[in-house]
Amino acid sequence: MNLKHCIVIICIFMSGFSLAQKGGKYKLWYDKPAKQWVEALPVGNGRLAAMVFGDPSKEKLQLNEATFWSGGPSRNDNPDGPKVLDSIRYYLFNGNYKRAEILSNKGLTAKTLHGSAFQNIGDLNLDFNNLIDIKEYYRELDIEKAITTTTFSSNGSHYKREVFASVPDQVIVIKLSSDKKNALNFNAGFNSELKKNVKAIDANTLQMDGLSSTLDGVQGQVKFNALAKFIAKGGKTSVSEERISVANADEVMILISIATNFIDYKTLNTDEVSKSKNYITQAETKNFNTLFKNHLNAYQNYFKRVDFNLGTSPASQFPTDLRVKNFATSYDPELVSLYYQFGRYLLISSSQPGGQPANLQGIWNNSNKPAWDSKYTININTEMNYWPAEKTNLPEMHEPLIQMVKDLSVTGAETAKVMYKSRGWVAHHNTDIWRITGVVDFANAGQWPMGSAWLSQHLWEKYLYSGDKNYLKSIYPILKSATQFYEDFLIEEPTHQWLVASPSMSPENIPLGNKGSALAAGNTMDNQLMFDLFSKTKKAAQILNIDSDKITVWNTIISKLPPMKIGRYGQLQEWMEDWDNPEDNHRHVSHLYGLFPGNQINPVTTPELFDASKTVLLHRGDVSTGWSMGWKINLWAKLLDGNHANKLIKDQLTLVDKDGWNKNGGTYPNLFDAHPPFQIDGNFGCTSGITEMLLQTQNGRIDILPALPDEWENGNISGLKTYGGFEVSIIWKDSQATEVVIKSNLGGNCRISASNELQLKEKNTLKLASGNNQNPYFEIPTIKKPLISPEAKLNEVKMKERFIYDFPTEAGKIYILKIK
């Protein structure tokens, strides 16, 4: 045999069994197995999820299914609401906050049901009985391909394990392989706290079925059926009690299917067994390469839309957990881009069209009693999950949230009627898969009837990006119904006769002036939300040319909302009274909603509020829970301070190496956000914040690199979306934009700002912008002038010079702007 033939044979062998290349731009990688859940690596297809531990001898996949929740269809409205509402308002307006809180807990808080819990299906365990002397260990999650790979050698053989969750085939796929024949020997079994039965159906198939937990008196009614199909090349499979044994196989593919009896939040009557079997039946006819190709095409259709590069450094050669540990004291720009794209990976993997929205843990949860039940906390956390959806070019991932809002508009109408004798729909600070809309937990956390107002913003935001009037027509009734509730619920406060929400609160924060009660009337965030809801619903009606008779009603309400106030410390007041404490470092900064994600506050039209918002953030400090730091990155970006935003990214990327409850937030070894414990909103919030540092679209124009940190002097990002259907890509060098590519999907005026002069390609001069942007998607709200305390000392807002241009665009055309 000549040398040429030898090379060909070696190449063929290597293509059949190739070890993963260590690290890379899109890879989380580790040199040891996961010992705890926050070291395991997540895969998901929006419905199915697995955490892969990568232990050579005892591999474990911890499994979830998005519809497997405790309880069953249920409501939690307190029918005593109308009996106590007037009294609660009386006490609030007369300063007896504690009495109002006591009455609220009695007559408004749910009597028993405080929401269901997202549940853990269980584990698939693979016990390998002949692996000794483990060497060359390596495991990774490749977020460009959405696949985990574990490789190692044992006793002269090289082993490889690959795991992915397929959207098109609706199964989790595992491939076990080795470079030696007959090398795979293991026992496989399911296990779960909630299992009813585990059995081997035949020599190739394991089955586990079970029932969800009972919680708050609601009987567990969600049935699940899990199947694992073992397809071996070579060797033999056999049944060993409740397990399957694989002996001397060359390669094994395992297909995992899970289904429940869930149809929708009202209905549990589908056959989970036949549903689960059907997924297996359709997938088992395809080989691994076909399944992977199907998966890859579907996944990369989303992931590849955005590319982000800040350069690399020697730090990227180290395992991911070590990179996080050293991030604050080393130069590792590629970790920022990896973390950014990891957020997009998690959103694609946990929120797919037709499925459930990402909950407090996305779709990954190893407990049947998770923190906060892993519900939907809609006073910030659920909304934060979806901040990256439109701007990072993942509008399809937004769809499950939009659908949940549609569901809540139905269940919330009953709550509005029963608890407040009001029209329209309302939701409070929490919901679950059954779309409860009553008050959960207790008054100081739950008596916040503004969930419907905040969630409705997502309906409108989606329209601003797409310009789709058919979509707007479909969601307009929900916006209108939300306004109907507040038309009935808002009440005049006695001093200024402003219309205020009462009872309410500024989420989860208790002011010193309230004697231990969070309840208050006319809180700043409520007023900001009311302004946005009524203004945007009015705008939608005008675009659709309907409900002209409502415009006057809504204008009157808008005119009677309280103005924002600046308190004695120069801070934007959180409450109607000047109760803020400069020592307060509470994780919620709810009153800054008007800065972000809202756009009522900006340096040009509202400089006093802009400065007062900065004072709030300085008082609150940087170090906080993980999700709170994620929000603050967005806020500092909107304050145009890229260096401070970058400092918070470093705080966020601080290693929290132990699972569970700790004092300060950060990032776990597997890049999950540490509240702690794990909450996924911090991941999504940081991805959104990095986008805001590079591109902003809320201030009447497209701002290029508005908050670029000094450290990020060179880089590029492509595929970001803005209001008005523009797609933007940016290349920058020495902290200046050198090329901006804009694709116009809807046409219309494009107003763009940059820190340096730009010109259209072919040396066409750009026209300097003047007046208001005529593009209707970029309208800046006009708000009331703030009331400023005579004790307040405000700082002058100084802005760096920016060049602002207008140029007309046609739908479907691409425009290239170069540095002048």
Side-chain angles (χ1 to χ4, degrees):
M1 186 182 292
N2 63 32
L3 181 60
K4 184 178 178 181
H5 287 131
C6 289
I7 292 172
V8 169
I9 290 170
I10 290 169
C11 289
I12 291 171
F13 172 75
M14 288 179 69
S15 68
F17 186 87
S18 57
L19 296 176
Q21 184 181 351
K22 231 180 210 187
K25 179 180 177 181
Y26 289 120
K27 293 183 178 181
L28 290 68
W29 73 274
Y30 307 84
D31 56 10
K32 53 187 177 297
K35 290 185 178 178
Q36 53 180 337
W37 191 81
V38 292
E39 295 173 336
L41 296 173
V43 296
N45 70 354
R47 187 179 68 85
L48 302 177
M51 295 292 282
V52 184
F53 282 71
D55 187 313
S57 298
K58 294 186 178 295
E59 179 63 279
K60 179 166 80 171
L61 275 75
Q62 183 268 314
L63 304 169
N64 292 103
E65 203 276 351
T67 63
F68 188 57
W69 286 63
S70 72
S74 47
R75 299 194 59 86
N76 70 333
D77 310 322
N78 189 330
D80 295 337
K83 300 176 188 175
V84 299
L85 183 60
D86 288 343
S87 296
I88 291 171
R89 287 171 162 173
Y90 171 82
Y91 287 121
L92 287 178
F93 288 141
N94 286 278
N96 194 341
Y97 305 103
K98 199 65 187 174
R99 181 63 184 156
E101 180 197 340
I102 291 167
L103 274 181
S104 181
N105 273 322
K106 183 178 180 182
L108 290 175
T109 302
K111 291 182 181 293
T112 54
L113 177 62
H114 294 279
S116 294
F118 183 46
Q119 307 259 266
N120 169 22
I121 291 287
D123 304 325
L124 177 67
N125 296 298
L126 307 177
D127 294 337
F128 295 81
N129 47 31
N130 64 336
L131 295 179
I132 56 172
D133 191 26
I134 303 298
K135 295 177 180 176
E136 302 174 276
Y137 180 87
Y138 172 83
R139 68 186 173 102
E140 69 173 27
L141 169 61
D142 184 337
I143 62 171
E144 186 180 24
K145 298 177 180 177
I147 185 170
T148 72
T149 304
T150 305
T151 60
F152 55 89
S153 64
S154 171
N155 202 25
S157 297
H158 292 284
Y159 294 88
K160 185 176 183 180
R161 299 174 187 167
E162 299 161 277
V163 183
F164 64 88
S166 170
V167 171
D169 289 299
Q170 285 297 305
V171 288
I172 294 170
V173 182
I174 307 168
K175 180 184 174 184
L176 311 173
S177 55
S178 172
D179 64 348
K180 300 279 179 67
K181 285 189 171 293
N182 309 322
L184 297 173
N185 295 273
F186 62 94
N187 295 312
F190 275 127
N191 192 37
S192 169
E193 290 178 30
L194 299 176
K195 67 180 182 291
K196 289 172 65 181
N197 297 293
V198 179
K199 64 181 180 180
I201 297 176
D202 55 44
N204 300 305
T205 313
L206 279 174
Q207 176 176 276
M208 175 171 68
D209 56 57
L211 186 67
S212 66
S213 298
T214 296
L215 187 67
D216 285 351
V218 181
Q219 185 71 36
Q221 298 163 50
V222 185
K223 302 174 185 176
F224 77 84
N225 179 269
L227 294 170
K229 179 85 174 190
F230 297 78
I231 302 169
K233 290 183 180 177
K236 181 183 177 185
T237 59
S238 60
V239 176
S240 175
E241 297 179 346
E242 298 175 348
R243 297 166 72 83
I244 281 180
S245 293
V246 177
N248 302 321
D250 303 333
E251 180 181 300
V252 180
M253 183 169 72
I254 307 170
L255 304 177
I256 301 174
S257 173
I258 309 169
T260 73
N261 61 338
F262 180 93
I263 291 181
D264 59 34
Y265 69 92
K266 307 182 295 289
T267 317
L268 295 172
N269 64 7
T270 193
D271 182 356
E272 72 281 1
V273 176
S274 61
K275 193 174 176 183
S276 183
K277 283 181 179 176
N278 190 48
Y279 291 132
I280 290 283
T281 301
Q282 293 186 40
E284 68 182 337
T285 60
K286 304 165 188 174
N287 63 30
F288 178 83
N289 289 340
T290 300
L291 290 167
F292 181 64
K293 184 179 178 182
N294 292 347
H295 153 74
L296 193 64
N297 288 341
Y299 172 76
Q300 290 194 335
N301 174 49
Y302 302 121
F303 184 81
K304 288 277 197 178
R305 293 173 185 173
V306 170
D307 186 46
F308 179 32
N309 176 40
L310 288 174
T312 188
S313 75
S316 64
Q317 299 170 21
F318 294 99
T320 303
D321 52 342
L322 195 58
R323 291 172 72 181
V324 176
K325 184 177 182 180
N326 295 333
F327 183 68
T329 57
S330 64
Y331 178 65
D332 190 358
E334 199 170 71
L335 185 61
V336 176
S337 55
L338 176 66
Y339 190 72
Y340 177 88
Q341 292 282 34
F342 183 62
R344 294 182 71 247
Y345 167 80
L346 293 175
L347 189 57
I348 298 167
S349 302
S350 63
S351 184
Q352 283 282 323
Q356 296 300 311
N359 62 46
L360 208 53
Q361 293 182 250
I363 197 175
W364 299 275
N365 162 44
N366 65 335
S367 172
N368 293 313
K369 296 179 180 177
W372 309 285
D373 296 329
S374 202
K375 295 197 294 283
Y376 299 100
T377 305
I378 55 178
N379 66 12
I380 170 66
N381 312 94
T382 302
E383 290 88 350
M384 184 183 282
N385 282 1
Y386 287 88
W387 287 351
E390 300 292 334
K391 68 183 73 165
T392 74
N393 215 334
L394 298 174
E396 298 90 343
M397 278 67 260
H398 211 169
E399 190 271 339
L401 181 71
I402 304 300
Q403 182 57 50
M404 184 173 82
V405 180
K406 291 179 179 178
D407 294 344
L408 290 171
S409 72
V410 177
T411 59
E414 180 72 9
T415 301
K417 180 181 174 183
V418 168
M419 290 183 60
Y420 300 108
K421 290 192 178 299
S422 295
R423 299 169 299 152
W425 72 281
V426 65
H428 294 81
H429 99 293
N430 239 281
T431 190
D432 60 14
I433 198 169
W434 313 117
R435 307 308 190 234
I436 60 166
T437 45
V439 178
V440 310
D441 298 332
F442 44 87
N444 274 355
Q447 186 49 55
W448 185 73
M450 310 302 292
S452 45
W454 196 343
L455 286 172
S456 293
Q457 307 307 316
H458 283 260
L459 304 180
W460 174 254
E461 279 278 301
K462 191 166 184 63
Y463 167 72
L464 288 182
Y465 280 90
S466 70
D468 184 341
K469 287 187 181 178
N470 288 327
Y471 160 78
L472 185 64
K473 190 174 181 180
S474 74
I475 56 92
Y476 173 74
I478 303 165
L479 291 174
K480 181 182 175 182
S481 178
T483 63
Q484 284 179 325
F485 171 76
Y486 297 107
E487 286 173 34
D488 295 348
F489 181 75
L490 294 178
I491 185 173
E492 284 190 353
E493 51 82 34
T495 306
H496 303 278
Q497 286 72 55
W498 290 325
L499 286 176
V500 298
S502 176
S504 188
M505 58 185 295
S506 190
E508 305 187 38
N509 200 5
I510 299 176
L512 289 177
N514 268 29
K515 299 175 183 176
S517 173
L519 293 198
N523 307 300
T524 298
M525 184 195 209
D526 297 355
N527 306 331
Q528 294 168 341
L529 284 167
M530 288 297 88
F531 177 87
D532 273 358
L533 177 64
F534 282 97
S535 299
K536 293 170 182 178
T537 306
K538 180 183 78 168
K539 189 71 177 175
Q542 291 169 331
I543 293 167
L544 297 170
N545 197 25
I546 53 178
D547 286 335
S548 57
D549 57 318
K550 295 292 293 183
I551 304 299
T552 303
V553 175
W554 293 332
N555 279 337
T556 300
I557 290 172
I558 292 168
S559 72
K560 296 186 72 173
L561 294 172
M564 285 185 249
K565 293 184 175 183
I566 296 174
R568 62 188 184 273
Y569 302 112
Q571 88 287 2
L572 176 64
Q573 288 181 200
E574 186 163 2
W575 298 275
M576 200 152 59
E577 308 298 329
D578 196 351
W579 288 330
D580 297 86
N581 175 7
E583 304 300 316
D584 180 8
N585 59 3
H586 197 269
R587 63 196 177 277
H588 283 260
V589 282
S590 305
H591 47 317
L592 298 189
Y593 162 88
L595 177 64
F596 186 89
N599 67 337
Q600 296 169 32
I601 300 171
N602 70 70
V604 177
T605 62
T606 59
E608 300 94 345
L609 292 170
F610 188 82
D611 180 62
S613 299
K614 183 176 182 179
T615 299
V616 170
L617 282 180
L618 292 172
H619 286 173
R620 289 292 167 92
D622 294 339
V623 176
S624 186
T625 56
W627 72 263
S628 179
M629 288 190 282
W631 191 357
K632 290 171 184 173
I633 293 166
N634 290 270
L635 291 166
W636 280 109
K638 285 302 296 287
L639 290 172
L640 309 178
D641 192 337
N643 287 331
H644 203 133
N646 190 36
K647 189 264 180 188
L648 270 156
I649 292 172
K650 292 181 179 181
D651 289 343
Q652 176 98 356
L653 285 167
T654 297
L655 185 65
V656 177
D657 55 5
K658 299 290 183 188
D659 196 2
W661 297 85
N662 295 292
K663 186 177 180 183
N664 292 329
T667 296
Y668 289 118
N670 64 359
L671 294 191
F672 272 170
D673 165 64
H675 175 285
F678 166 51
Q679 277 189 201
I680 203 166
D681 44 1
N683 290 99
F684 296 136
C686 193
T687 294
S688 169
I690 292 168
T691 309
E692 293 294 322
M693 294 162 75
L694 302 174
L695 186 76
Q696 292 179 21
T697 190
Q698 302 97 338
N699 294 333
R701 63 199 189 206
I702 298 169
D703 289 313
I704 303 296
L705 308 180
L708 187 70
D710 294 340
E711 285 186 8
W712 301 0
E713 59 183 356
N714 301 310
N716 58 76
I717 192 161
S718 61
L720 299 180
K721 299 299 283 289
T722 80
Y723 292 166
F726 294 107
E727 184 173 311
V728 180
S729 302
I730 311 165
I731 300 172
W732 67 94
K733 187 176 181 182
D734 298 329
S735 300
Q736 290 192 323
T738 57
E739 181 176 282
V740 180
V741 179
I742 297 178
K743 181 181 179 182
S744 177
N745 292 304
L746 301 177
N749 184 59
C750 182
R751 176 166 291 184
I752 188 168
S753 87
S755 62
N756 54 279
E757 291 187 274
L758 296 169
Q759 63 185 10
L760 281 166
K761 198 176 177 184
E762 314 302 339
K763 306 292 184 185
N764 289 334
T765 305
L766 283 169
K767 175 186 168 188
L768 289 174
S770 62
N772 293 328
N773 189 349
Q774 296 306 301
N775 190 318
Y777 299 102
F778 289 86
E779 187 175 342
I780 299 176
T782 301
I783 64 169
K784 288 182 178 180
K785 287 193 173 184
L787 297 183
I788 303 174
S789 167
E791 300 174 57
K793 293 180 181 177
L794 298 177
N795 303 292
E796 182 185 353
V797 173
K798 295 179 180 178
M799 294 181 62
K800 295 177 182 176
E801 181 186 17
R802 290 185 74 81
F803 298 87
I804 307 172
Y805 305 102
D806 278 341
F807 63 96
T809 70
E810 294 179 37
K813 289 199 172 181
I814 293 173
Y815 301 85
I816 300 173
L817 289 71
K818 297 273 192 178
I819 191 168
K820 197 167 182 179

